[in-house]
Amino acid sequence: MKETLIRSFSVARLRGALTQPFTISSGSHKELDNAVFMLRLGGGVRGCGEAGVAPHITGETLEGTMAALKRAGEWLEGRDISSFDALFRGLRERLDRNRAALAAAEMAVLDALARLMKVPLWRFYGPRPAKTVTDITVVIGTPEQAFDFAKFYLARGMKIFKIKVGIDHDDDLRRAAAVRKAAPGAAIFLDANCAWSVAEARSFVRDLRRAGIRPSVLEQPVKRDDIEGLAALSRDFDFPVCADESLYSLQDAVRLIRAGVTGLNIKLMKLGLAQSLEVYRLAKAKGVSLMMGEMLESRLSSVCAAHFAAGLGGFDLIDLDTPLFIKDRATAGFAGPSPDGNYDLSKVRSGIGPVPLVFSRR
Ligand SMILES: [Mg+2]
C-alpha cells in the first residue's frame, strides 16, 4: 500500500486521575476523560490527536465525540495524506458541530504528515519555535489552598498565576491576595468564565487595585453573547480583556475585534486547527492580544497547541498548564511542560511528540 494513504484508524478513551479537581465558576472536572484518535498510514507511520471534552463549557459529550471521530475515521480511510488541506476542508464540513473531534482529527492528520516528513510539528507554522512558557491555574478553592498552591509552583519556577474567579467577590479577592502574598513578583491573570456583569467586573478590578494588584489580563468576565460588555470593559482597562467562551468561530472573531475587544483566547478545541490559524491571522492583522489556551487536556493536545503557538510566535499569553494537573501517565514520548511551565520543543524530533499509552502498544 502507498506510504501516504490512510490505511486504518482507531478511537479510544484517554482517562487519568488529577492531582486536584479542576474547578472553575461554570463547573468542575474530577478526572481526565477525553477521546483520542489515531491514523495509520500505508507504510506504518502513525498520527495521533486528542479531543478535550468539556461538557460544562461546550456542551459536547465523550460519547458524541467518539462517535464523531469514528465517522471522521471512516471518511479518512483510503484518502491520501499528501492532500492535507483538502482533508482539513472535508473534516471541517463533517465535524463543525463537534469541535473537539474536529481538532483531534486535524491533529492526527498533521501529526502523521509531520512524522512522515520527519519534522517537528512547529515547522508547519514557522521557521523556529518561540519560547513557550505556560502560566499555572489557581482553581476555585479556599485562600489557604491558593496560597499553598502558589508557593508550591513558585518554588518550581512558575512566574504567572491564572486565578479562576467568579464565585464570590470577597472570597475571590482573598484568593488573589493569597497568591500575591505567596508569589509577590509573579504576574496575575484573571478568568471569570462568564460569571459577572459589567458592573461586577468593574467593582472587582477596582477592589483588586486597591489591594495593590494589577492583573495582566481579564478573561471572559461576562456572558458569552455580551460582546458589548466585553468591548466596554476593554475600553475601561489598561490591560487586555480576553474573549474565550465568546470566541467559537471566525465570525465571532470578526465581531469581537470590530467591537473593540482587546484580547482573544485561541483554543484548538473550540475552533479546530485550521480555523485557529485563520483567527490568529485576523488578530495579528488588527494587533489584538492573543492567548493560547486549552480545555482539560493531556500532554498530546497540549503539546500540539504549544507547537502551534511556538511556530507562529507572537502570543502574549500562554495557558497550557493542564498536563501539570494529571497524575496518571497517560502518554509516552515527549514529556510536555517542565514544572516551571516551559515547553522545550527542541527535544521533539518529529510530529507532536507524545503518544497516548492506549495506542503505544498497538
Ligand atoms: Mg478561559
Side-chain angles (χ1 to χ4, degrees), residues 3 44 72 83 93 106 119 167 213 252 268 285 308 358:
E3 282 186 12
S83 316
E93 277 167 30
E106 291 175 308
V119 294
I167 294 282
I213 301 170
D252 290 339
L268 302 180
F308 180 90
V358 281

Side-chain angles (χ1 to χ4, degrees), residues 323-341:
L324 297 169
F325 286 85
I326 299 165
K327 197 159 48 177
D328 293 355
R329 208 165 142 261
T331 57
F334 180 64
S338 49
D340 66 354

Side-chain angles (χ1 to χ4, degrees), residues 162 164 191 193 219-220 244-245 265 267 319:
K162 167 164 155 174
K164 291 288 188 179
D191 188 357
N193 292 104
E219 226 186 300
Q220 198 68 40
D244 181 5
E245 283 85 342
N265 184 341
K267 289 179 178 167
D319 181 29

Side-chain angles (χ1 to χ4, degrees), residues 23-316:
T23 308
I24 65 174
S25 67
S26 59
S28 184
H29 281 283
K30 305 265 182 299
E31 58 166 354
L32 176 79
D33 198 3
N34 285 345
V36 280
F37 183 63
M38 181 178 74
L39 295 174
R40 196 188 290 273
L41 305 184
V45 168
R46 299 177 310 175
C48 297
E50 174 178 358
V53 185
H56 59 285
I57 300 170
T58 62
E60 293 169 357
T61 62
L62 183 71
E63 202 182 22
T65 302
M66 291 181 81
L69 282 172
K70 190 164 175 287
R71 286 199 305 278
E74 284 161 359
W75 182 75
L76 285 166
E77 262 179 347
R79 292 178 194 270
D80 195 314
I81 199 130
S82 318
S83 316
F84 64 99
D85 214 34
L87 298 185
F88 275 14
R89 281 196 300 277
L91 289 169
R92 209 157 144 182
E93 277 167 30
R94 283 160 181 82
L95 299 176
D96 193 49
R97 293 160 69 86
N98 190 312
R99 300 290 173 76
L102 173 62
E106 291 175 308
M107 211 178 283
V109 167
L110 265 196
D111 187 35
L113 188 62
R115 287 174 189 274
L116 188 72
M117 314 261 300
K118 298 190 171 65
V119 294
L121 189 71
W122 56 261
R123 280 200 178 265
F124 279 85
Y125 294 107
R128 66 192 67 81
K131 194 164 167 58
T132 300
V133 183
T134 181
D135 60 12
I136 184 86
T137 303
V138 180
V139 297
I140 303 279
T142 67
E144 294 73 28
Q145 285 166 336
F147 181 86
D148 293 344
F149 183 88
K151 269 264 178 244
F152 179 88
Y153 274 104
L154 182 77
R156 275 149 189 80
M158 205 57 89
K159 292 184 178 65
I160 309 162
F161 293 86
K162 167 164 155 174
I163 306 174
K164 291 288 188 179
V165 292
I167 294 282
D168 179 87
H169 180 100
D170 293 341
D171 262 0
D172 289 342
L173 281 175
R174 279 193 280 273
R175 289 167 55 245
V179 171
R180 168 48 51 92
K181 197 172 162 207
I188 288 181
F189 295 2
L190 299 175
D191 188 357
N193 292 104
C194 311
W196 288 333
S197 64
V198 168
E200 284 168 330
R202 282 186 180 130
S203 123
F204 187 82
V205 169
R206 187 191 58 226
D207 289 350
L208 197 65
R209 297 194 93 148
R210 279 189 188 141
I213 301 170
R214 176 193 178 273
S216 310
V217 61
L218 170 59
E219 226 186 300
Q220 198 68 40
V222 296
K223 289 195 174 46
R224 67 181 70 196
D225 54 2
D226 190 4
I227 309 298
E228 240 340 285
L230 290 172
L233 292 169
S234 290
R235 290 191 292 274
D236 281 4
F237 299 142
D238 58 354
F239 48 83
V241 173
C242 188
D244 181 5
E245 283 85 342
S246 298
L247 171 61
Y248 201 65
S249 67
L250 193 54
Q251 291 70 30
D252 290 339
V254 170
R255 208 175 308 131
L256 288 159
I257 293 172
R258 293 192 69 225
V261 176
T262 40
L264 298 180
N265 184 341
I266 294 183
K267 289 179 178 167
L268 302 180
M269 297 303 146
K270 293 186 302 185
L271 300 161
L273 273 66
Q275 193 167 213
S276 289
L277 182 57
E278 293 166 359
V279 170
Y280 172 88
R281 294 207 171 115
L282 206 61
K284 279 293 157 197
K286 193 68 182 175
V288 170
S289 283
L290 275 175
M291 179 183 288
M292 189 74 215
E294 64 178 348
M295 303 299 183
L296 180 66
E297 299 171 35
S298 85
R299 284 167 174 78
L300 175 58
S301 51
S302 302
V303 175
C304 182
H307 280 282
F308 180 90
L312 290 168
F315 277 81
D316 308 279

